[in-house]
Amino acid sequence: MKKERKYYEAYDDRYKQVHQKSLKWFSAYPSKIVEDTISKYGITKDANIIEIGCGEGRDAIYLLKRGYKILATDISPVAIKHCKEWYPDFAQSFEVFDCLTQELTEKFDFIYAVAVLHMLVLDKDRKSFYEFVFKHLNENGIALICTMGDGKEEWHTNIEDAFKIQKRTHDETGEEIFVASTSCRTVCFDTLYNEIVDNNLELLESGITSIIPDFPTTMYVVAKKRNLSKRK
């Protein structure tokens, strides 16, 4: 029996469709917010780091080439296959992994996820995401979560539309191509804050940033594990 695919797996189809044309879907420019957070919070090159949703590897490879130890994960086998082929010197750092349904035995000093949370439409899936972050952070570890949105508007796509073919313009080439539809949910800051607190995380900072050219307006939060032993 063929495994039923989850709506948030649609990017696997999109990557396949784009890579067959010898293109990449996203730019190669690393997300400055990742490097800035590493610098601000003193994440050293000895730290244990995991990226959730590495996609085509732009942020992971930027840091790997600078000596950081990273486990770069993505739910898409197509994306991970290509990362291993594009970056053979770091092939062992890339792994197919679904943080909503799987766990790891190790914990991390820094967990980051760029443009992943907004793909999770259902509350139960967003909760699973936060639970993974909480369970896999070291006691003094921090998490950086970047998600599409302006902090005010709330809307979401219909998950039934995931995988449907749509015409899109490839940003780098301007070529019109047909690719799979993917899911998206944006939330306001109040909703995002409540999600953080409700899932036993403590907010350290938040704001709006730009990840050019792919995500011009992006919300971000930096959080750590809440000390549950101090709760009354």
Side-chain angles (χ1 to χ4, degrees):
M1 181 182 295
K2 189 174 181 180
K3 176 187 173 186
E4 182 179 354
R5 302 173 75 190
K6 303 176 182 68
Y7 69 91
Y8 56 82
E9 295 181 85
Y11 252 109
D12 191 50
D13 283 15
R14 181 173 293 188
Y15 286 134
K16 182 178 181 180
Q17 292 152 350
V18 172
H19 296 171
Q20 284 175 339
K21 294 179 173 290
S22 300
L23 300 173
K24 290 187 177 183
W25 183 247
F26 292 109
S27 73
Y29 298 104
S31 308
K32 189 173 184 297
I33 185 69
V34 176
E35 186 175 27
D36 288 349
T37 303
I38 284 174
S39 176
K40 181 174 181 177
Y41 289 90
I43 306 299
T44 69
K45 293 181 178 179
D46 293 325
N48 205 20
I49 301 173
I50 184 172
E51 178 175 8
I52 301 173
C54 67
E56 293 164 319
R58 64 177 183 187
D59 289 317
I61 200 62
Y62 178 82
L63 296 175
L64 285 165
K65 286 181 176 179
R66 283 155 180 77
Y68 289 91
K69 299 185 298 183
I70 299 171
L71 174 60
T73 70
D74 200 282
I75 196 173
S76 167
V78 171
I80 295 299
K81 176 178 180 291
H82 281 266
C83 285
K84 289 177 177 289
E85 293 174 351
W86 291 328
Y87 313 117
D89 291 344
F90 301 100
Q92 74 284 353
S93 297
F94 293 93
E95 181 178 319
V96 178
F97 185 79
D98 181 357
C99 73
L100 272 60
T101 61
Q102 297 175 272
E103 293 188 7
L104 298 168
T105 57
E106 57 188 318
K107 294 190 177 183
F108 298 89
D109 304 303
F110 182 44
I111 296 175
Y112 71 95
V114 175
V116 173
L117 182 60
H118 72 255
M119 295 175 60
L120 305 178
V121 173
L122 302 181
D123 287 341
K124 68 181 182 66
D125 294 329
R126 294 170 73 88
K127 182 173 179 59
S128 294
F129 172 89
Y130 288 114
E131 286 177 346
F132 178 89
V133 172
F134 178 83
K135 289 178 181 178
H136 291 81
L137 268 180
N138 280 325
E139 291 306 314
N140 296 317
I142 64 164
L144 168 68
I145 302 168
C146 300
T147 184
M148 281 180 58
D150 61 5
K152 301 175 183 177
E153 186 179 15
E154 295 206 353
W155 64 275
H156 64 81
T157 58
N158 185 344
I159 62 173
E160 300 298 326
D161 292 334
F163 299 102
K164 290 183 178 179
I165 299 300
Q166 62 177 194
K167 183 168 69 173
R168 293 285 298 273
T169 300
H170 186 255
D171 286 342
E172 185 176 2
T173 65
E175 179 183 351
E176 287 191 341
I177 57 179
F178 290 90
V179 294
S181 299
T182 58
S183 53
C184 184
R185 177 180 174 183
T186 68
V187 299
C188 69
F189 270 120
D190 282 347
T191 298
L192 190 59
Y193 296 157
N194 287 335
E195 289 180 340
I196 293 290
V197 172
D198 290 346
N199 288 281
N200 299 315
L201 296 170
E202 179 181 335
L203 184 68
L204 297 177
E205 65 171 286
S206 63
I208 297 288
T209 189
S210 296
I211 301 175
I212 302 297
D214 300 303
F215 303 102
T217 304
T218 304
M219 304 162 67
Y220 77 90
V221 294
V222 179
K224 66 177 183 178
K225 293 177 72 166
R226 191 146 43 108
N227 188 341
L228 301 182
S229 65
K230 293 183 179 180
R231 295 178 65 184
K232 295 183 179 179

